Amino acid sequence: MSTITRRPDFSVDRETMVYAALVLNTELLLVTLHVFFGGTSATSWQGVFQYVYPLVWINVALLAVLTTTPPPVPTKQRRRALVVGVLYFLVLAAIGGIVRPGSPEIQSYVQFNLLYLPPGWNPMVAYFGNVVSVTLIPYKLAGYGALSYLVYVMVLDTAGISLGSLTGLFSCVSCVLGILVPTLSSVLGGTAAAVGQLIPQSYGAATVVYLVSIALLYWRPIGR
């Protein structure tokens, strides 16, 4: 049994460092502005966690996606991998509360938050409809998108996983582990009220599982 493993490359060029510094400084500025003008206090550990968790998700997602290059494969295989990646994202989105059934009793409306929630939670756009409701939270979109993209690349690298053998995808520990991420992060839901009632242990556990899932999918220590 052969093993596909990505060896870590920690070399960083000057341009990458400049962009990383720009991103981090921008995030620091947004956090500072929100502390002074937003609606969330950072005077306790609970308040600090509200700022840390979403930015960790976003930064790790950017790092994983930007440093992962899909291998050259035939178009047919790429399409199959894309379908698997999209289906994986939809599973994460459904479990994580991005997409959920609507309510026939309500009148459809759109909600937009720009300043009330901490950076990473904001800007949040939510649509509440009769058939379906969608809540777009930046850190969830970035995190689930990165996991799905890495699954897509993994399918390109792994000949044993295809549309005809989706069971192979769920025999992959890192893929199943990734599905636990939205399960844990949706314990309190994804609403503004949930931010104010943040339980560090719940979001901390989700973040740890997220980081482990990203690492396993990035370096892919799986057999075929």
Side-chain angles (χ1 to χ4, degrees):
M1 177 182 293
S2 61
T3 302
I4 300 175
T5 303
R6 180 195 298 272
R7 296 186 179 277
D9 181 8
F10 297 106
S11 59
V12 180
D13 56 37
R14 182 181 181 86
E15 184 178 3
T16 301
M17 293 181 63
V18 170
Y19 281 120
L22 179 62
V23 170
L24 293 176
N25 286 334
T26 301
E27 291 175 345
L28 180 60
L29 175 61
L30 291 175
V31 168
T32 301
L33 290 174
H34 188 269
V35 168
F36 285 101
F37 302 106
T40 307
S41 172
T43 57
S44 64
W45 281 112
Q46 179 172 313
V48 172
F49 285 135
Q50 296 174 18
Y51 292 99
V52 173
Y53 287 145
L55 297 184
V56 167
W57 281 53
I58 292 172
N59 291 340
V60 170
L62 288 174
L63 182 63
V65 171
L66 293 178
T67 57
T68 299
T69 303
V73 297
T75 302
K76 184 177 181 179
Q77 185 177 347
R78 189 175 298 277
R79 288 174 179 170
R80 289 180 175 180
L82 181 61
V83 171
V84 174
V86 170
L87 289 176
Y88 190 81
F89 178 82
L90 292 177
V91 170
L92 298 182
I95 298 176
I98 291 180
V99 180
R100 57 190 184 278
S103 176
E105 294 81 15
I106 68 170
Q107 183 177 0
S108 300
Y109 67 97
V110 175
Q111 184 181 49
F112 177 72
N113 284 314
L114 181 61
L115 297 175
Y116 179 71
L117 303 176
W121 291 86
N122 268 343
M124 184 184 75
V125 180
Y127 167 77
F128 301 94
N130 304 117
V131 178
V132 65
S133 293
V134 180
T135 304
L136 303 180
I137 302 175
Y139 89 90
K140 284 191 175 185
L141 291 175
Y144 300 166
L147 287 169
S148 302
Y149 178 75
L150 293 178
V151 167
Y152 160 76
V153 176
M154 184 193 70
V155 173
L156 294 179
D157 278 342
T158 310
I161 299 178
S162 66
L163 286 180
S165 181
L166 287 179
T167 54
L169 178 64
F170 293 98
S171 67
C172 163
V173 174
S174 54
C175 300
V176 176
L177 194 61
I179 294 177
L180 291 179
V181 175
T183 304
L184 291 172
S185 63
S186 64
V187 169
L188 296 178
T191 63
V195 182
Q197 302 170 3
L198 179 66
I199 299 178
Q201 294 86 346
S202 299
Y203 284 87
T207 301
V208 170
V209 175
Y210 168 69
L211 294 177
V212 173
S213 302
I214 288 286
L216 290 176
L217 287 169
Y218 183 83
W219 286 298
R220 295 191 289 282
I222 61 176
R224 69 172 181 175

